[in-house]
Amino acid sequence: MKNIYSNILKFNKKNLSKTLKYLRRSNIVGLPTETVYGLAGNAYSSKSVKKIYNLKKRPRINPLIIHYYDLTKLYNDVEINETFLKLYKYFCPGPITFIMKKKKSSKISKLACANLKTVGVRFPNNKITRKILKRIDFPLAMPSANKANAVSPVTASDVADEFGKDIKIIIDGRKSKIGIESTVLDLNKKPNILRPGVISREKIEKILKKRIMNSNINKNIKSPGMFKKHYSPNIPMILNKKKVSKNHAFITFGKRYKKSINTYNLSENSNLYEAARNLYKLFRKIKKMNYKKIYVAKIPNKGIGVAINDRLKRAAGKK
Ligand code: AMP
Ligand code: MG
């Protein structure tokens, strides 16, 4: 029977070849990654890339992350340096994006990089998407599969909720394991974190054996993920609250908050990984419940907590 989710497909041989055919013809598909679901198209085809911007209603000054299977094809497109190789060896495939210099000879669509001289590069760690990347001879431009500034999707049905039948193929890869977007690390000059993620500053510093900077002190907006009002459920959100009236939703963390019908706990065990995984699912759930305001309890600002607080502040329009 056809339903509104008839574009969600199981990953099997038949649907793999359908997806490959689709991508080779410059069409767009929804794919799972370990961070969030992505809207994927051929990064070498400006036709595909235009479709992505149009579907997302994304401003064309906001570049897309380009996804590769491994280093083999990367050498054609970007200037690779030692710092990158050290981090690649340790973290990839994984939830980290590197900003690097684009080669003059690169075939990546200019639009995908918003005409910048740099490229954002990632190697996603999801079996399905890696199988697809291995079989195509172009990298995938793949931003998160949501309308610009909205909450990122963490399941195939979230993607269907965002785009309905405007995309014909969404591959079901269950709930994203990490649940928030990749760490974005600028390697074009001195290493600098433009967007925090589960690969924390401390972890990167340990591998590089040196201190690195954080984006928020950087005045130039290099990564539009740094814009105000990103990742937003579009309901007023108030942070660092201890309690809340019954009319509002209350997002909590840990055991110290009283359970009630309007409380939504990110992680009763105070586990920041679990909290990250639950964050966007809760945003969507609360939005569907028609609450007028969301209050949020304090989340520890250490390690992954830095990334969670970053998304909360942006959702609240405070950053
Ligand atoms: P999303 O499209 O939601 O996965 O977010 C991608 C993030 O990576 C956005 O914040 C982009 O601005 C950022 N990004 C991608 N490419 C570049 C680049 N060349 N320079 C700076 N930021 C980039
Ligand atoms: Mg996004």
Side-chain angles (χ1 to χ4, degrees), residues 11 88 129 143 187 239 246 283:
F11 189 66
Y88 175 85
T129 296
L187 294 179
L239 308 182
K246 283 220 168 61
F283 278 7

Side-chain angles (χ1 to χ4, degrees), residues 56 58 144 146 152 231:
K56 275 184 71 83
R58 180 170 175 126
S144 53
N146 51 278
S152 298
Y231 317 120

Side-chain angles (χ1 to χ4, degrees), residues 74-120:
L74 187 72
Y75 285 97
N76 301 327
D77 293 324
V78 302
E79 308 279 358
I80 285 170
N81 60 36
E82 277 302 310
T83 310
F84 162 73
L85 286 175
K86 266 190 212 160
L87 296 170
Y88 175 85
K89 251 192 211 154
Y90 199 82
F91 295 116
C92 296
I96 182 162
T97 297
F98 305 97
I99 309 298
M100 289 188 284
K101 217 172 242 127
K102 190 177 176 184
K103 275 194 177 165
K104 282 220 171 81
S105 56
S106 162
K107 285 196 284 181
I108 299 173
S109 136
K110 284 196 175 127
L111 182 59
C113 304
N115 279 318
L116 297 170
K117 293 198 167 76
T118 52
V119 195

Side-chain angles (χ1 to χ4, degrees), residues 58 62-65 99 116 118-120 143-144 184 195 222-225:
R58 180 170 175 126
N62 191 354
L64 310 178
I65 296 175
I99 309 298
L116 297 170
T118 52
V119 195
S144 53
V184 178
R195 174 172 75 185
K222 279 196 185 159
S223 193

Side-chain angles (χ1 to χ4, degrees), residues 75-298:
Y75 285 97
N76 301 327
D77 293 324
V78 302
E79 308 279 358
I80 285 170
N81 60 36
E82 277 302 310
T83 310
F84 162 73
L85 286 175
K86 266 190 212 160
L87 296 170
Y88 175 85
K89 251 192 211 154
Y90 199 82
F91 295 116
C92 296
I96 182 162
T97 297
F98 305 97
I99 309 298
M100 289 188 284
K101 217 172 242 127
K102 190 177 176 184
K103 275 194 177 165
K104 282 220 171 81
S105 56
S106 162
K107 285 196 284 181
I108 299 173
S109 136
K110 284 196 175 127
L111 182 59
C113 304
N115 279 318
L116 297 170
K117 293 198 167 76
T118 52
V119 195
V121 167
R122 187 162 99 84
F123 311 84
N125 189 9
N126 172 284
K127 271 192 194 157
I128 295 175
T129 296
R130 278 179 65 73
K131 269 195 185 147
I132 292 168
L133 281 167
K134 203 173 177 184
R135 300 277 296 271
I136 47 183
D137 49 16
F138 47 84
L140 290 175
M142 182 161 56
S144 53
N146 51 278
K147 297 269 164 66
N149 297 345
V151 177
S152 298
V154 293
T155 61
S157 61
D158 291 347
V159 182
D161 280 348
E162 288 284 326
F163 295 104
K165 293 212 167 149
D166 290 346
I167 40 180
K168 302 288 179 285
I169 297 179
I170 303 166
I171 299 291
D172 190 0
R174 303 230 181 117
K175 193 172 164 190
S176 294
K177 278 198 183 122
I178 286 174
I180 58 169
E181 304 79 0
S182 58
T183 305
V184 178
L185 179 68
D186 189 354
L187 294 179
N188 196 29
K189 292 187 188 122
K190 262 191 179 168
N192 177 19
I193 294 182
L194 299 178
R195 174 172 75 185
V198 300
I199 295 185
S200 62
R201 182 158 65 89
E202 293 86 336
K203 282 188 200 156
I204 297 169
E205 287 178 337
K206 215 170 151 188
I207 302 305
L208 295 182
K209 297 193 179 71
K210 65 176 179 194
R211 296 296 298 269
I212 55 172
M213 296 192 292
N214 242 325
S215 62
N216 300 340
I217 49 166
N218 192 333
K219 282 193 197 108
N220 301 326
I221 294 188
K222 279 196 185 159
S223 193
M226 293 160 71
F227 287 156
K228 270 191 174 184
K229 267 282 172 207
H230 229 82
Y231 317 120
S232 167
N234 259 322
I235 308 171
M237 193 181 276
I238 298 133
L239 308 182
N240 298 323
K241 287 296 204 187
K242 290 202 171 104
K243 54 184 182 195
V244 59
S245 80
K246 283 220 168 61
N247 306 326
H248 307 321
F250 190 26
I251 295 182
T252 60
F253 177 82
K255 282 205 175 79
R256 56 190 281 233
Y257 299 91
K258 230 173 53 197
K259 278 188 201 167
S260 75
I261 187 139
N262 58 334
T263 58
Y264 300 87
N265 203 320
L266 286 170
S267 168
E268 286 196 13
N269 299 322
S270 302
N271 178 328
L272 288 165
Y273 270 104
E274 189 183 17
R277 196 159 55 234
N278 286 332
L279 186 69
Y280 292 148
K281 209 67 217 165
L282 279 189
F283 278 7
R284 275 178 199 273
K285 192 168 168 186
I286 290 169
K287 189 166 183 178
K288 281 185 185 155
M289 308 281 284
N290 286 323
Y291 283 107
K292 298 284 178 286
K293 271 187 191 162
I294 306 177
Y295 282 35
V296 187
K298 203 171 178 147

